[in-house]
Amino acid sequence: MPDRSFLDWPFFEPRHKALAARLDAFAASGLAGLGHGATDDASLDAACREIVRRLGSAGFLDAGCVPEPDGAFDVRTLALSRETLARHEGLFDFCFAMQGLGTGPISLFGSAAQRQHYLPPVQRGERIAAFALSEPQAGSDVSALATTARRDGDAWVLDGTKTWISNGGLADHYVVFARSEATPGARGLSAFIVDARTPGLEIAARIPLIAPHPLATLVFRDCRVPGSALIGQPGEGFKIAMATLDVFRTTVGAAALGFARRALDEAAKRAREREVFGKPLAEHQLTQARIAEMALQVDAAALLVYRAAWVKDVQRRRVTREAAMAKLYATEAAQSVIDSAVQLFGGMGVVSGMPVESLYREIRALRIYEGTSEIQKLVIGGAVLGERA
Ligand code: COS
């Protein structure tokens, strides 16, 4: 039985605890089996569409994931949802998270017309969203983006390549960041909404992963979008990307926490059941010490994740530093917790299809995407030194 005592922490309101219970039950019954073992593009895409559709029609993409047209994110709802879904299945969390990330810039900076057009169908699970920031030569260094957007009358014309794009090939729209201004660096970027069927947008390749998820490289060639596709003002793209990541980085930490909790639960069960040298693993002090370290990492990660979410929701201030801390610590800790769980399982821990084996593959990408661990350290160090300067 997973530890639910953290739901009594003062970060949460009764509605959060109720949501966690409802979503937990729904993941166990309403999503059971979906996507499990899917590796080829067609079955992955079909599973993702179905997961999104079911999450949407059950109301789990409302408010938290995709705020109402005039609402703000409730990061605690987002984080709790991701933690809960990740504990069940990586793909459930992925589908949920991408609906939020792929509309985050629209939710936070979109015009009333953009919000009205894009958010309700994404919320209902009828439209799939994606966030296209990274490029072959610009992942960590966002200000080095080379995709261009040039004005042509009222329209914008996009040219360039985006890669590592989650939901690439599956999404109905992409939020694309491109260089629109002559100003170099961060100030020259803008954000656009590009519908998947826009001529000039091509899915160049799907990218196979150690933990399969839809991922692709996109190419834009003379891809023309109307003036109404611009989010915010020209030149605001970097700020839009960073503010969106400030919300979602905390939730990547939450997903890592869900994986870690699952690993801890699996390990504790194994330790009670497996006998070695004439007694259960759980009665060996080395096992107890390892379980203690895992539990400590899980709780420390939870404190950082829900602290960041609470600060954003309740204090309503910029949480760049807190979000970076939550993502950095929770993802690194989860990698260590899961590795310990594999070790406690012995040979069974590396057998394909065992829960701890899938968790071992699932967790690795979280230390890389939405800002590597190294980038989080730069963000935290910069924030601390900037405050003290
Ligand atoms: N919210 C709002 N504004 C922000 C911001 C944030 N979180 N972070 C930076 N800014 C502003 C800065 O205040 C600065 O504004 P001014 O020019 O008015 O002073 C501007 O944006 C540029 O900031 P900075 O100089 O820090 O930019 P850098 O190019 O040095 O980049 C990092 C900073 C490395 C932190 C940023 O590029 C980053 O987060 N990279 C990782 C991106 C990532 O997550 N990639 C994965 C792809 S998404 S799956």
Side-chain angles (χ1 to χ4, degrees):
M1 177 66 187
D3 177 13
R4 314 306 291 149
S5 60
F6 72 98
L7 290 168
D8 295 321
W9 290 351
F11 298 126
F12 301 110
E13 296 166 21
R15 66 191 167 99
H16 294 117
K17 195 170 178 174
L19 167 84
R22 263 199 335 274
L23 184 55
D24 196 27
F26 179 77
S29 56
L31 299 177
L34 282 177
H36 193 73
T39 50
D40 62 287
D41 293 345
S43 52
L44 264 176
D45 288 2
C48 288
R49 276 187 209 288
E50 189 57 19
I51 293 165
V52 169
R53 193 190 66 74
R54 291 193 198 178
L55 281 170
S57 54
F60 290 113
L61 300 177
D62 288 357
C65 183
V66 183
E68 297 297 333
D70 56 351
F73 282 106
D74 184 78
V75 186
R76 289 165 297 171
T77 297
L78 265 177
L80 265 178
S81 301
R82 290 199 66 176
E83 176 188 337
T84 305
L85 291 168
R87 192 159 41 71
H88 285 270
E89 179 70 50
L91 210 56
F92 300 171
D93 164 61
F94 169 86
C95 290
F96 173 88
M98 289 316 302
Q99 292 298 88
L101 182 65
T103 47
I106 305 172
S107 300
L108 294 170
F109 297 93
S111 65
Q114 289 169 335
R115 292 149 75 107
Q116 199 47 52
H117 181 74
Y118 287 98
L119 301 188
V122 168
Q123 223 168 28
R124 291 193 297 267
E126 294 163 3
R127 174 178 261 277
I128 292 186
F131 182 85
L133 180 66
S134 297
E135 298 185 358
Q137 301 304 328
S140 291
D141 185 2
V142 175
S143 62
L145 288 191
T147 293
T148 55
R150 77 181 149 79
R151 278 176 214 262
D152 185 9
D154 278 349
W156 293 89
V157 181
L158 274 63
D159 282 280
T161 302
K162 295 284 172 187
T163 193
W164 317 121
I165 306 308
S166 293
N167 275 343
L170 176 63
D172 296 293
H173 77 252
Y174 299 86
V175 172
V176 180
F177 295 85
R179 182 163 301 287
S180 63
E181 310 303 299
T183 335
R187 288 171 189 258
L189 308 181
S190 299
F192 302 89
I193 311 167
V194 183
D195 287 322
R197 287 191 299 267
T198 309
L201 164 54
E202 183 200 333
I203 308 303
R206 290 284 292 250
I207 306 170
L209 298 175
I210 55 172
H213 297 79
L215 195 78
T217 298
L218 318 179
V219 173
F220 298 85
R221 276 191 205 94
D222 262 334
C223 178
R224 182 177 296 269
V225 294
S228 59
L230 175 73
I231 303 176
Q233 296 300 315
E236 283 188 345
F238 188 86
K239 188 181 83 182
I240 292 173
M242 291 301 126
T244 305
L245 290 171
D246 280 352
V247 170
F248 283 90
R249 278 180 180 158
T250 299
T251 77
V252 178
L257 177 60
F259 292 143
R261 269 197 217 281
R262 175 68 181 271
L264 176 58
D265 292 345
E266 296 284 341
K269 181 165 178 286
R270 168 82 175 175
R272 288 187 206 100
E273 289 171 357
R274 166 83 170 161
E275 291 224 342
V276 60
F277 296 112
K279 57 182 181 182
L281 261 181
E283 289 178 23
H284 293 269
Q285 285 192 337
L286 280 175
T287 307
Q288 292 165 7
R290 196 181 273 276
I291 294 280
E293 281 159 14
M294 294 163 79
L296 184 62
Q297 287 173 301
V298 164
D299 271 15
L303 282 162
L304 283 169
V305 164
Y306 292 115
R307 185 269 301 250
W310 179 85
V311 170
K312 180 83 180 155
D313 291 348
V314 177
Q315 297 193 323
R316 293 185 172 270
R317 62 173 172 80
R318 187 166 150 182
V319 288
T320 306
R321 181 179 66 107
E322 290 86 348
M325 284 183 169
K327 182 187 187 278
L328 172 63
Y329 184 80
T331 57
E332 294 285 338
Q335 181 88 57
S336 153
V337 168
I338 292 167
D339 188 66
S340 285
V342 169
Q343 196 69 16
L344 277 165
F345 269 76
M348 290 301 285
V350 288
V351 171
S352 293
M354 291 294 287
V356 292
E357 179 270 342
S358 342
L359 290 166
Y360 192 75
R361 289 182 290 104
E362 285 283 353
I363 189 59
R364 191 61 185 84
L366 278 66
R367 291 165 57 211
I368 299 171
Y369 71 62
E370 288 182 44
T372 59
S373 290
E374 291 72 18
I375 288 292
Q376 308 310 329
K377 286 179 189 170
L378 291 181
V379 169
I380 298 163
V384 171
L385 293 168
E387 275 169 16
R388 289 182 184 158

